């Protein structure tokens, strides 16, 4: 069981991907097949976001408004709620295990809610607890396995009998200030946040196949300002992490190394960039405009392509080495298996797959969104995996609630509710 929320009030599903390089909005409706069908897409260059965190409230608000408005115009609908990704806030993964007494009766939904509630409290992040860390906010509380009287390997304990029900939970927290800033920025656009999803988790839901999530896989979401990691095993995400390096850093390296304007550095990376050097690079010449000389029509400098690749490759190697060290430090490198799925806008650089396989010593493929209808060819690539995954989260209700609920809120109130609780506890 996951944290659940009701359907959006308008009957539509809206996903908002707030990244460091672009802000993207998908508006969809649910098909009879259970898959979301996209009705509208809006995209804007990101402003006021750095490293996944809001650093300029007004410019970020304007970019979000424009992206959502473009999607609404295409869909012919107006949205009130959005599911939002979280790529900043220094997310931290932790695992906790708790047990609750069930006194020999059959496990029901109320027992699961009680166990999950105790699991959330075990990390001290619930807002009603005096021992909570006010600087951290709970984003996800994901059950990854259950036990009945110590017997492991249980996916769904409902209907089983025992004395004690145990649950192991994967908790993901983020900086409260980063979450609050993003929430405020979206609310200033007259939108409600129906849930947060960390970016690599959403990307994994959009790009992975069932066998990969069961056998073990690492999702590496390469965005503009960050590269985030998620490890899936036995059908659940068991670890997430983030390194503060992304495609924007490669662009800045090119601009500094070649003394080129940033806009031209991005163009050079897109047109001529490659993740690994080749013999032909020495012979191919490229034109490099120089900073401050564009307005004077000065001839551009010609350089061999090998210089450009020589700037790009070390930064990408460093990124994958940081990812590898994070996985090794987590102790989950072996659990994650030998499979890696690269996604995100920065993963589209030619040769990146081969470089990742070399540095990580794993099998690598590029992940594109699947299970979502209505995506045009231009928006079906790795850069839109997070936004498509947010729709999947909304459809399956695998959302983190901004406010955690007590299991008591799901039970009938009044005298009959108290009688029902007493019966469940004693029989």
């Amino acid at each position: 069981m996951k944290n659940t929320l009701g359907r959006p009030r308008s009957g539509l599903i809206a996903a908002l991907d707030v990244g460091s390089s672009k802000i993207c909005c998908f508006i969809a409706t649910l098909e009879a097949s259970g898959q979301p069908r996209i009705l509208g897409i809006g995209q804007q260059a990101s402003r006021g976001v750095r490293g996944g965190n809001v650093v300029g409230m007004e410019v970020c608000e304007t970019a979000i408004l424009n992206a959502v408005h473009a999607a609404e115009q295409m869909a012919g609908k107006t949205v009130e709620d959005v599911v939002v990704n979280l790529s900043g806030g220094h997310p931290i993964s932790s695992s906790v295990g708790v047990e609750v007494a069930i006194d020999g009766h059959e496990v029901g939904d109320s027992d699961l809610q009680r166990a999950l509630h105790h699991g959330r409290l075990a990390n001290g992040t619930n807002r009603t607890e005096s021992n909570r860390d006010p600087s951290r906010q709970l984003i996800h509380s994901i059950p990854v396995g259950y036990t009945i009287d110590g017997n492991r390997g249980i996916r769904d304990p409902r209907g089983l009998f025992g004395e004690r029900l145990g649950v192991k939970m994967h908790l993901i927290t983020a900086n409260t200030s980063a979450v609050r800033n993003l929430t405020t920025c979206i609310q200033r656009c007259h939108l409600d946040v129906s849930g947060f999803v960390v970016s690599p988790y959403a990307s994994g839901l959009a790009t992975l196949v069932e066998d990969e999530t069961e056998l073990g896989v690492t999702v590496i979401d390469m965005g503009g300002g960050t590269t985030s990691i998620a490890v899936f095993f036995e059908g659940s995400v068991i670890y997430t992490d983030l390194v503060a390096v992304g495609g924007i850093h490669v662009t800045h390296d090119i601009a500094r190394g070649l003394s080129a304007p940033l806009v031209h550095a991005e163009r050079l990376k897109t047109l001529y960039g490659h993740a690994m050097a080749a013999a032909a690079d020495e012979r191919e010449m490229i034109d490099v405009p120089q900073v401050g000389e564009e307005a004077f029509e000065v001839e551009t400098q010609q350089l061999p392509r090998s210089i450009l690749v020589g700037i790009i490759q070390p930064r990408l190697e460093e990124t994958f080495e940081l990812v590898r060290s994070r996985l090794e430090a987590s102790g989950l490198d072996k659990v994650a298996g030998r499979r890696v799925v690269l996604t995100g806008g920065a993963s589209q650089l030619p040769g990146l797959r081969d470089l990742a396989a070399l540095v990580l010593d794993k099998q690598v493929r590029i992940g594109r969104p699947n299970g979502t209808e209505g995506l045009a060819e231009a928006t079906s690539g790795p850069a839109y995996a997070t936004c498509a995954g947010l729709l999947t989260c909304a459809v399956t209700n695998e959302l983190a609630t901004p406010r955690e609920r007590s299991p008591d809120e799901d039970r009938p109130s009044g005298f009959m509710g108290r009688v029902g609780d007493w019966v469940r506890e004693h029989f």
Side-chain angles (χ1 to χ4, degrees):
M1 290 185 61
K2 307 281 191 320
N3 290 344
T4 60
L5 290 178
R7 296 290 181 204
R9 293 193 300 268
S10 63
L12 296 173
I13 306 167
L16 184 64
D17 177 5
V18 181
S20 301
S21 59
K22 75 175 189 308
I23 293 175
C24 182
C25 178
F26 284 179
I27 298 176
T29 186
L30 191 62
E31 293 284 281
S33 63
Q35 293 182 331
R37 171 171 288 279
I38 294 177
L39 304 177
I41 296 172
Q43 180 174 311
Q44 289 287 314
S46 184
R47 297 287 184 270
V49 181
R50 181 175 298 173
N53 299 303
V54 177
V55 295
M57 187 67 72
E58 290 188 3
V59 288
C60 181
E61 177 189 345
T62 301
I64 291 174
L65 272 173
N66 290 337
V68 175
H69 180 64
E72 288 178 332
Q73 282 192 314
M74 180 182 290
K77 305 286 186 179
T78 301
V79 297
E80 301 174 358
D81 311 289
V82 288
V83 186
V84 186
N85 74 311
L86 192 66
S87 57
H90 302 287
I92 296 177
S93 279
S94 60
S95 295
V96 298
V98 298
E99 284 190 344
V100 295
I102 53 177
D103 300 326
H105 68 250
E106 178 182 346
V107 177
D109 287 335
S110 62
D111 299 305
L112 285 186
Q113 289 293 337
R114 189 157 50 95
L116 296 177
H117 182 63
H118 283 292
R120 289 190 289 267
L121 295 182
N123 201 42
T125 53
N126 189 283
R127 286 187 171 277
T128 63
E129 293 299 295
S130 60
N131 64 340
R132 69 178 176 89
D133 181 357
S135 67
R136 307 293 299 177
Q137 179 169 331
L138 184 65
I139 301 301
H140 291 289
S141 54
I142 304 168
V144 296
Y146 295 93
T147 62
I148 298 285
D149 296 339
N151 296 318
R152 302 179 181 276
I154 300 173
R155 295 289 184 89
D156 187 350
R158 285 173 293 190
L160 300 178
F161 294 83
E163 296 295 328
R164 298 194 66 81
L165 169 66
V167 58
K168 182 179 180 182
M169 299 186 67
H170 175 206
L171 304 179
I172 304 174
T173 62
N175 284 346
T176 301
S177 59
V179 178
R180 184 177 299 169
N181 287 334
L182 182 56
T183 302
T184 301
C185 189
I186 294 169
Q187 289 175 341
R188 285 174 57 165
C189 300
H190 307 288
L191 295 167
D192 292 328
V193 178
S194 58
F196 287 106
V197 185
V198 291
S199 294
Y201 183 25
S203 296
L205 292 176
T207 60
L208 298 180
V209 299
E210 185 177 353
D211 283 349
E212 286 175 328
T213 62
E214 287 292 331
L215 299 175
V217 64
T218 302
V219 175
I220 302 177
D221 186 350
M222 304 187 71
T226 60
T227 296
S228 49
I229 313 157
V231 175
F232 288 76
F233 182 65
E234 293 185 344
S236 299
V237 60
I238 61 172
Y239 174 75
T240 62
D241 207 340
L242 179 145
V243 294
V245 182
I248 292 175
H249 297 83
V250 177
T251 302
H252 280 257
D253 288 349
I254 295 171
R256 283 190 291 264
L258 301 182
S259 296
L262 282 170
V263 63
H264 290 290
E266 181 66 27
R267 181 175 176 272
L268 290 169
K269 181 181 73 173
T270 303
L271 293 180
Y272 306 109
H274 203 280
M276 299 183 71
D281 292 341
E282 288 288 347
R283 300 188 296 272
E284 183 178 352
M285 304 300 290
I286 59 176
D287 293 329
V288 181
Q290 299 298 288
V291 172
E293 296 182 356
E294 312 99 290
F296 301 101
E297 298 183 357
V298 177
E299 291 187 6
T300 57
Q301 183 180 11
Q302 283 201 329
L303 295 172
R305 185 184 180 188
S306 59
I307 294 180
L308 175 66
V309 177
I311 294 172
I312 294 174
Q313 184 171 349
R315 174 66 83 170
L316 295 176
E317 287 178 344
E318 176 198 21
T319 303
F320 289 126
E321 286 168 357
L322 287 170
V323 170
R324 184 181 63 189
S325 65
R326 296 291 178 90
L327 288 173
E328 291 173 349
S330 71
L332 297 173
D333 186 43
K334 302 301 181 184
V335 173
R338 291 186 49 79
R339 190 73 169 168
V340 167
V341 174
L342 288 180
T343 191
S347 69
Q348 300 174 99
L349 194 68
L352 191 68
R353 174 180 174 177
D354 296 331
L355 181 63
L358 185 66
V359 176
L360 299 173
D361 190 27
K362 295 179 184 287
Q363 299 173 347
V364 181
R365 73 171 178 90
I366 302 297
R368 294 174 174 81
N370 56 61
T372 302
E373 301 177 8
L375 275 176
E377 183 178 353
T379 53
S380 60
Y384 300 92
T386 297
C387 210
L390 293 174
L391 292 180
T392 302
C393 291
V395 169
T396 57
N397 279 338
E398 298 186 20
L399 297 174
T401 58
R403 164 182 164 272
E404 294 296 337
R405 297 189 306 171
S406 164
D408 295 330
E409 295 182 54
D410 296 322
R411 298 179 183 176
S413 59
F415 174 75
M416 292 306 298
R418 291 192 296 271
V419 170
D421 288 343
W422 184 84
V423 171
R424 278 190 291 269
E425 289 176 6
H426 294 86
F427 295 95

